[in-house]
C-alpha cells in the first residue's frame, strides 16, 4: 500500500536562511508526488508536483522540491525563507489513476524574524 | 471565479443528531473527495466520487454517508453513528482521471459537539 512519511512535526528556521521540509514515500509503481501548504482555518493550496522528467521541480512562491528515486524522497526546499512562509506543509502521493491522494501527517514550518 | 465552496464554515452537532456538510464546485470537475483533518494526523480520506451517481469508501467511512446526484455537489452527512465527529472537514475536486492533476480544496467546515 502507498504511504507518505513526514519525519519532522516541526521545522524552525530564521528568515533569510534556506529551508528544507522532508518527505519520504512508499509506492509499488511510479510515484506521483505533490506538496501543499495550509494556513490556519483554510483549505490546502497546491505548491508543486512531480510526475516525470527533471528531478528538481519548481513551484509557487519560490519553493522547489527534489525527487530522489533511490532514497524514495521528495523534500521541499526554498533558498531563502520568509516569515510569511510559516504554515503547515503536506506531502502527498498518488499511485494509481483514479485514486485519491494519500497525505503525510504534515510539518509545521516556523520562520522567525 | 471558479472554485470549491464549503458551507457552513462552523457547525455544531447535538448528541444523536445527523448533520450535513455542503460542498459545491463550479470547476466542472468529475472527481470529488472528502477528507477529515485532526491535529497531528494529517488528512484521512472519508469518501470519494469519480463520477455522478458513483462513490467509494475511503479509509474512515464508518459513521459517514455521501451522495453524488449532481456533478457540482458532493454533500457529506455525519451520522449519529460517528462517535467522535469533532474535526476539520475538507472537500476537494480534480479535473480528470489522470494521475498528474492536483486536487483543489475548499476552505473547510469545522464541526464540533455541543
Amino acid at each position: 500500500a502507498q504511504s507518505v512519511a513526514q519525519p519532522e512535526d516541526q521545522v524552525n528556521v530564521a528568515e533569510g536562511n534556506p529551508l528544507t521540509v522532508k518527505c519520504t514515500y512508499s509506492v509499488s509503481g511510479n510515484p506521483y508526488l505533490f506538496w501543499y501548504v495550509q494556513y490556519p482555518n483554510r483549505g490546502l493550496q497546491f505548491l508543486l508536483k512531480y510526475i516525470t522528467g527533471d528531478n528538481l521541480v519548481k513551484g509557487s512562491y519560490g519553493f522547489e522540491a527534489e525527487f530522489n528515486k533511490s532514497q524514495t524522497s521528495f523534500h521541499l526546499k526554498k533558498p531563502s525563507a520568509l516569515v510569511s512562509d510559516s504554515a503547515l506543509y503536506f506531502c502527498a502521493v498518488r499511485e494509481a489513476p483514479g485514486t485519491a491522494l494519500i497525505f503525510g501527517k504534515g510539518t509545521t514550518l516556523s520562520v522567525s524574524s | 471565479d471558479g472554485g470549491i465552496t464549503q458551507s457552513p464554515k462552523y457547525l455544531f452537532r447535538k448528541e444523536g443528531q445527523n448533520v450535513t456538510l455542503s460542498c459545491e464546485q463550479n470547476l466542472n470537475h468529475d472527481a470529488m473527495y472528502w477528507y477529515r483533518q485532526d491535529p497531528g494526523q494529517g488528512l484521512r480520506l472519508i469518501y470519494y466520487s469519480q463520477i455522478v451517481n458513483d462513490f467509494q469508501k475511503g479509509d474512515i467511512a464508518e459513521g459517514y454517508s455521501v451522495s453524488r446526484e449532481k456533478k457540482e455537489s458532493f454533500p457529506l452527512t455525519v451520522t449519529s453513528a460517528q462517535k467522535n465527529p469533532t474535526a476539520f472537514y475538507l472537500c476537494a475536486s480534480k479535473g480528470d482521471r489522470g494521475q498528474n492533476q492536483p486536487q483543489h480544496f475548499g476552505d473547510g467546515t469545522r464541526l464540533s459537539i455541543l
Side-chain angles (χ1 to χ4, degrees), chain A residues 12-97:
Chain A
N12 299 310
V13 65
E15 188 173 32
N17 284 358
L19 68 88
T20 297
V21 182
K22 296 180 180 177
C23 172
T24 59
Y25 65 90
S26 175
V27 298
S28 58
N30 291 322
Y32 295 82
L33 296 155
F34 301 80
W35 274 102
Y36 285 82
V37 61
Q38 184 182 34
Y39 296 98
N41 294 311
R42 301 296 301 275
L44 276 64
Q45 296 177 32
F46 169 70
L47 282 178
L48 51 80
K49 65 183 180 184
Y50 172 81
I51 303 301
T52 186
D54 289 341
N55 291 340
L56 186 64
V57 178
K58 294 190 182 297
S60 305
Y61 313 119
F63 284 94
E64 57 190 27
E66 186 170 12
F67 173 68
N68 187 317
K69 188 172 183 178
S70 63
Q71 297 184 5
T72 62
S73 67
F74 188 55
H75 301 330
L76 182 69
K77 300 182 179 186
K78 188 173 183 181
S80 178
L82 301 172
V83 172
S84 58
D85 293 330
S86 298
L88 182 58
Y89 290 81
F90 288 99
C91 182
V93 66
R94 177 183 294 133
E95 182 178 43

Side-chain angles (χ1 to χ4, degrees), chain B residues 94-107:
Chain B
K94 185 169 78 70
D96 62 42
R97 299 189 186 188
Q99 292 174 272
N100 63 347
Q101 295 303 313
Q103 291 173 190
H104 299 262
F105 284 82
D107 273 343

Side-chain angles (χ1 to χ4, degrees), chain B residues 41-96:
Chain B
Q41 294 194 46
L43 276 68
R44 293 182 290 169
L45 183 66
I46 305 173
Y47 269 98
Y48 65 102
S49 168
Q50 298 294 331
I51 199 167
V52 174
N53 292 323
D54 186 49
F55 49 83
Q56 288 79 39
K57 293 182 179 180
D59 300 320
I60 56 166
E62 185 173 352
Y64 300 96
S65 66
V66 293
S67 63
R68 187 85 188 277
E69 297 176 0
K70 298 186 299 182
K71 188 175 186 177
E72 312 81 59
S73 178
F74 191 40
L76 173 73
T77 296
V78 184
T79 75
S80 57
Q82 173 49 246
K83 298 305 180 187
N84 184 22
T86 297
F88 191 50
Y89 290 86
L90 287 162
C91 179
S93 70
K94 185 169 78 70
D96 62 42

